[in-house]
Amino acid sequence: YPVESIRNFSIIAHVDHGKSTLADRLLEITGTIAKTDRNKQVLDKLQVERERGITVKAQSASLFYNYKGVNYLLNLIDTPGHVDFNYEVSRSLSACQGVLLVVDANEGIQAQTVANFYLAFEAQLEIIPVINKIDLKNADPERVEKQLEKLFDIPVDECIRISAKQGTNIEKVLEKVIEKIPPPQFNTTDPLKALVFDSTFDHYRGVIANIAIFGGEIQKGHKIVSAYSNKRYEVNEVGILTPDEQPTHKLYAGQVGYLIAGMKEVTEAQIGDTLFMYKQPVEPLPGFKSAKPMVFAGMYPVDQTEYNNLKSALERLTLNDSSVTVHRDSSLALGAGWRLGFLGLLHMEVFNQRLEQEYNTSVILTAPTVPYKAVLSSAKLIKEYGNSEITIINPAQFPDKHSVSEYLEPTVLGTIVTPQEYIGKIIVLCQDRRAVQKEMLYIDEHRVMLKYLFPLNEIVVDFYDALKSLSSGYASFDYEDAGYQAADLIKMDILINGNPIEELATITHNDKAYATGKFMCERLKDAIPRQLFEIAIQAAIGKKIIARETMVETLQEE
Ligand code: GDP
Ligand code: MG
């Protein structure tokens, strides 16, 4: 395939707007997979993805399509839809020249539509608007087209109306991909330049790196070098994804495919790395922002005799999900374990579910915390840490305010899209979460987009649920990293019968201390099994008790 007949594209959309279903139809219509009733989200390979109906890891597939007598190679890269996985989206996008922006004809533009649009727009990709689910009774494609025009300046007549479910107008989508998305501008005669945009681990074959070729060509036997590590490898196999790996003789500039080259650990196939030919170094491609963990939690085996099993399960699972960070940790009550960093709460739940399903383990997870920072003022501590600014991922390590000149908390810029009748309640909710309004815009007569700057810790636990329940499920939410801000933070201890329990300590904002303390004591009261003796549960800041619950002996009551 000459470069002119290659198109590399992604599908981006708000969750449930139909990315995976459209991908299935594209795979069918191009004969990549057989047309059966059972093709349900073929690119969603993981069990947890199928169960939860979400895409966690980006998958690629190469499609072959004949259009006006020319054979085209279309590389489709699926993207995850949830906010936690936004970095996966930008990863996939850097291997593309265009995107299909899918919007549900009934729901219209949602928070992730906005976030994903800007990711693609900033990457200067060709954006093809697709209105999906026109078969639905309440579909209103005209209204959605007007929203797209108002918010993104997309001309109304450029939108393609489809039903991914029924297969309506899928050919039109392929035609637009071929006509509007530019072919990659890369040369086969240049020296090899390959971008690693994803990697997975196979027990038998080792690391399988997904690569996009920005120059030159690559085949079995080539000696290549990683710009990141400077390590040398010999290529064992290259091929395309259909969507299973299918070996090919070569991969050329402009193509997307996979590579196996004796890499034993996923860390050797660093996302964003550039591979080049041995003795023909090239200027490395700008890598990606690496995934930044936003939520940390302690993980311990339920039974310490399971420690080694859990350890090897963790090692294997993190091989396939390099966005999880792992530090060894231990606790008096829970024994030896780890402190893990995740991209968000859903990511944490999904990881935990995969551990249980794929490795048959059971674990204790401590309450999640966000990465706070402290600017130290104590010379002794600065020397101890070797830095005047430290990141606190474990409340047990919260430095005392006497040795700190300032605490900092992570913030995010949140986008909320909602029908207008819920605005009042949503504004109250956001204020309660210490958020500051940045923007309010009507995207049509009935719908509003709100932007707020949130302290991250105020949204990690139950913000999304609260938003959904007060809007009867109609408001959507997405967020992006917005750096750190100064914050009046304190550490809150929980005491059981007067003894502080390290694992239950939390970091909270001063204004929220009483509410948090009360909430935690109440929750613990419900969580601790009833005993035959009295138990006092207290929340304390330093020596000061701010909340208390007492569990009294209740045998007679039952
Ligand atoms: P994703 O989260 O964007 O990947 O969305 P999915 O492809 O998983 O689709 C979400 C839900 O919408 C599934 O239940 C699909 O069957 C359904 N769906 C997708 N496309 C259509 C469509 O064109 N019409 C209708 N009625 N339902 C659709
Ligand atoms: Mg999906």
Side-chain angles (χ1 to χ4, degrees):
Y1 283 86
V3 167
E4 309 83 68
S5 54
I6 297 178
R7 301 289 182 276
N8 296 325
F9 70 105
S10 265
I11 308 178
I12 55 176
H14 189 75
V15 67
D16 279 348
H17 283 196
K19 282 184 308 291
S20 303
T21 309
L22 175 58
D24 287 349
R25 291 299 91 74
L26 294 175
L27 293 177
E28 281 174 10
I29 201 172
T30 54
T32 311
I33 55 172
K35 195 165 176 173
T36 76
D37 293 339
R38 282 180 301 132
N39 291 336
K40 282 243 158 83
Q41 289 97 33
V42 171
L43 294 180
D44 297 345
K45 281 181 190 163
L46 302 170
Q47 187 183 348
V48 22
E49 293 181 325
R50 288 172 180 268
E51 271 180 27
R52 293 184 176 233
I54 52 166
T55 307
V56 174
K57 281 198 79 76
Q59 306 279 356
S60 318
S62 294
L63 322 174
F64 303 93
Y65 193 63
N66 187 290
Y67 177 61
K68 294 190 175 161
V70 180
N71 286 321
Y72 288 91
L73 169 59
L74 313 175
N75 296 307
L76 161 62
I77 295 163
D78 194 20
T79 60
H82 192 272
V83 286
D84 281 4
F85 306 104
N86 247 351
Y87 95 104
E88 290 256 4
V89 178
S90 27
R91 242 197 221 179
S92 323
L93 292 187
S94 59
C96 299
Q97 285 75 45
V99 296
L100 299 171
L101 176 68
V102 175
V103 187
D104 183 310
N106 179 18
E107 290 198 350
I109 289 184
Q110 297 292 321
Q112 277 157 253
T113 319
V114 179
N116 285 331
F117 170 84
Y118 284 109
L119 284 177
F121 186 75
E122 276 155 25
Q124 299 183 342
L125 304 182
E126 182 66 38
I127 296 169
I128 299 175
V130 176
I131 318 268
N132 187 30
K133 308 198 188 182
I134 56 167
D135 60 291
L136 286 177
K137 199 166 87 275
N138 296 323
D140 190 350
E142 242 153 82
R143 184 177 61 97
V144 180
E145 284 163 7
K146 286 198 189 120
Q147 291 179 349
L148 286 166
E149 183 171 40
K150 169 137 197 215
L151 217 50
F152 307 139
D153 276 333
I154 293 176
V156 166
D157 58 6
E158 279 186 15
C159 298
I160 317 172
R161 297 181 183 186
I162 69 160
S163 163
K165 191 168 183 179
Q166 300 184 341
T168 318
N169 284 343
I170 307 298
E171 297 87 350
K172 283 204 182 140
V173 174
L174 286 171
E175 283 171 30
K176 278 266 171 109
V177 165
I178 290 167
E179 284 181 353
K180 284 193 69 186
I181 297 177
Q185 305 285 327
F186 309 128
N187 266 325
T188 310
T189 49
D190 285 348
L192 174 70
K193 196 175 207 178
L195 171 76
V196 178
F197 67 91
D198 199 5
S199 59
T200 52
F201 182 77
D202 181 284
H203 290 301
Y204 301 103
R205 300 193 290 169
V207 174
I208 303 174
N210 286 9
I211 54 174
I213 317 282
F214 284 67
E217 48 183 56
I218 187 168
Q219 69 183 68
K220 184 178 162 142
H222 277 162
K223 292 201 174 52
I224 56 166
V225 179
S226 143
Y228 174 79
S229 69
N230 247 328
K231 277 195 191 161
R232 230 165 89 188
Y233 300 95
E234 182 170 326
V235 178
N236 299 330
E237 184 178 320
V238 293
I240 57 173
L241 299 149
T242 61
D244 297 321
E245 286 108 28
Q246 188 187 314
T248 55
H249 178 52
K250 272 185 183 176
L251 284 178
Y252 301 92
Q255 282 196 312
V256 174
Y258 72 93
L259 157 108
I260 300 176
M263 298 173 176
K264 301 218 164 40
E265 290 179 28
V266 166
T267 48
E268 289 178 83
Q270 195 72 25
I271 310 302
D273 194 2
T274 303
L275 304 173
F276 56 86
M277 209 60 79
Y278 179 55
K279 290 196 167 153
Q280 291 179 48
V282 294
E283 183 70 18
L285 294 152
F288 306 102
K289 268 193 277 179
S290 59
K292 232 187 341 179
M294 300 290 244
V295 174
F296 292 85
M299 179 178 274
Y300 298 87
V302 171
D303 180 346
Q304 276 292 319
T305 60
E306 286 288 306
Y307 179 86
N308 282 327
N309 281 344
L310 183 56
K311 181 165 176 256
S312 70
L314 264 181
E315 276 165 4
R316 274 187 279 170
L317 195 51
T318 47
L319 274 178
N320 259 326
D321 187 350
S322 48
S323 56
V324 178
T325 61
V326 183
H327 298 281
R328 231 180 293 148
D329 203 358
S330 67
S331 120
L332 277 177
L334 302 172
W338 300 267
R339 184 139 281 262
L340 305 184
F342 302 97
L343 301 172
L345 266 196
L346 178 72
H347 185 212
M348 175 169 111
E349 283 170 24
V350 164
F351 186 84
N352 196 16
Q353 192 181 341
R354 288 187 64 188
L355 260 185
E356 288 180 352
Q357 279 174 350
E358 293 167 34
Y359 298 94
N360 196 22
T361 60
S362 52
V363 299
I364 299 171
L365 268 180
T366 65
T369 174
V370 302
Y372 293 105
K373 285 184 177 176
V375 182
L376 301 171
S377 58
S378 138
K380 185 167 158 269
L381 278 187
I382 293 174
K383 201 163 166 219
E384 198 177 306
Y385 286 107
N387 203 335
S388 62
E389 190 176 284
I390 59 166
T391 302
I392 310 150
I393 58 172
N394 186 345
Q397 285 150 12
F398 190 70
D400 187 84
K401 70 164 182 257
H402 299 298
S403 47
V404 165
S405 59
E406 191 174 41
Y407 294 111
L408 303 167
E409 64 181 345
T411 64
V412 293
L413 183 65
T415 303
I416 298 168
V417 174
T418 177
Q420 61 174 2
E421 58 262 43
Y422 305 109
I423 295 177
K425 286 186 191 164
I426 289 174
I427 289 176
V428 172
L429 173 70
C430 292
Q431 279 165 354
D432 179 53
R433 302 301 176 106
R434 301 192 285 124
V436 179
Q437 196 180 91
K438 295 287 177 192
E439 195 182 337
M440 180 159 153
L441 177 81
Y442 273 80
I443 60 177
D444 62 26
E445 306 91 89
H446 306 294
R447 265 166 211 272
V448 179
M449 180 180 78
L450 297 156
K451 292 210 171 192
Y452 274 90
L453 189 71
F454 288 92
L456 177 62
N457 84 312
E458 296 285 345
I459 59 158
V460 285
V461 179
D462 59 352
F463 177 78
Y464 191 60
D465 291 340
L467 180 71
K468 281 278 168 199
S469 88
L470 67 73
S471 65
S472 309
Y474 286 115
S476 63
F477 180 63
D478 198 344
Y479 62 80
E480 61 191 283
D481 187 9
Y484 277 77
Q485 70 182 15
D488 187 6
L489 302 175
I490 46 172
K491 177 182 169 198
M492 196 175 64
D493 292 309
I494 300 290
L495 287 67
I496 308 276
N497 284 340
N499 300 313
I501 308 293
E502 194 185 281
E503 296 71 28
L504 296 176
T506 52
I507 297 169
T508 173
H509 194 269
N510 208 353
D511 295 349
K512 289 283 183 96
Y514 284 89
T516 311
K518 190 158 171 280
F519 175 76
M520 292 223 21
C521 288
E522 282 168 5
R523 263 229 330 227
L524 278 168
K525 190 180 173 189
D526 295 336
I528 298 175
R530 288 180 176 192
Q531 307 289 339
L532 297 179
F533 44 86
E534 189 176 294
I535 294 184
I537 305 166
Q538 295 169 308
I541 294 163
K543 293 209 163 61
K544 192 166 139 212
I545 304 294
I546 58 163
R548 179 189 169 106
E549 289 283 328
T550 308
M551 293 178 62
V552 287
E553 181 248 306
T554 48
L555 207 56
Q556 266 80 30
E557 270 178 31
E558 307 262 312

